[in-house]
Amino acid sequence: QVQLAESGGGLVQPGGSLRLSCAASGLTLDHPVIGWFRQAPGKEREGVSCISSIDGSTFYANSVKGRFTGSRDNAENTVYLQMNSLKPEDTAVYYCARVLACPVVGGTLSGDGVAYWGKGTLVTVSS
């Protein structure tokens, strides 16, 4: 069953920070690999981050590399996406979703296999 819920979005000024949360049950077994996606108005869905409990791998799209960091809490009940140095182009609805594996460096994170998309959480970066 799908048991993922995003939260933490909001309005932030350029250069600011937000931390998104993805509440996931059975993370290490049922949902060991979590991807973060975003979709801005008029643009295609973009996979921006991925974190895997299977092999410990992480992935960041070039557009967010060095600014976004994925992590888990101690109990691995929640996956986080720390977003720093936010830019207006980061404005989008952000989603977390179960994926099969994180891409390799230089690859892309695809959401084509995601069966369910939740409501997401809106991040607005504006001055």
Side-chain angles (χ1 to χ4, degrees):
Q1 298 297 118
V2 177
Q3 297 188 28
L4 299 172
E6 308 93 342
S7 64
L11 175 65
V12 65
Q13 293 184 339
S17 299
L18 285 173
R19 188 179 71 169
L20 305 184
S21 299
C22 177
S25 61
L27 180 63
T28 61
L29 181 61
D30 297 326
H31 305 108
V33 190
I34 301 295
W36 285 97
F37 303 82
R38 67 185 183 185
Q39 188 160 26
K43 296 184 178 180
E44 296 182 357
R45 184 190 304 112
E46 177 188 20
V48 298
S49 180
C50 182
I51 184 166
S52 174
S53 297
I54 298 176
D55 58 11
S57 64
T58 58
F59 165 84
Y60 302 97
N62 289 336
S63 56
V64 307
K65 191 176 301 181
R67 300 186 297 117
F68 291 11
T69 304
S71 64
R72 300 181 178 90
D73 68 5
N74 292 333
E76 299 193 8
N77 293 318
T78 304
V79 171
Y80 300 100
L81 185 66
Q82 179 67 44
M83 307 186 298
N84 298 325
S85 302
L86 284 163
K87 305 175 180 179
E89 51 262 44
D90 294 319
T91 296
V93 177
Y94 285 73
Y95 306 86
C96 63
R98 168 78 163 89
V99 297
L100 294 178
C102 291
V104 298
V105 175
T108 58
L109 175 62
S110 174
D112 292 345
V114 177
Y116 173 80
W117 298 97
K119 297 294 185 181
T121 185
L122 176 63
V123 172
T124 302
V125 185
S126 176
S127 61

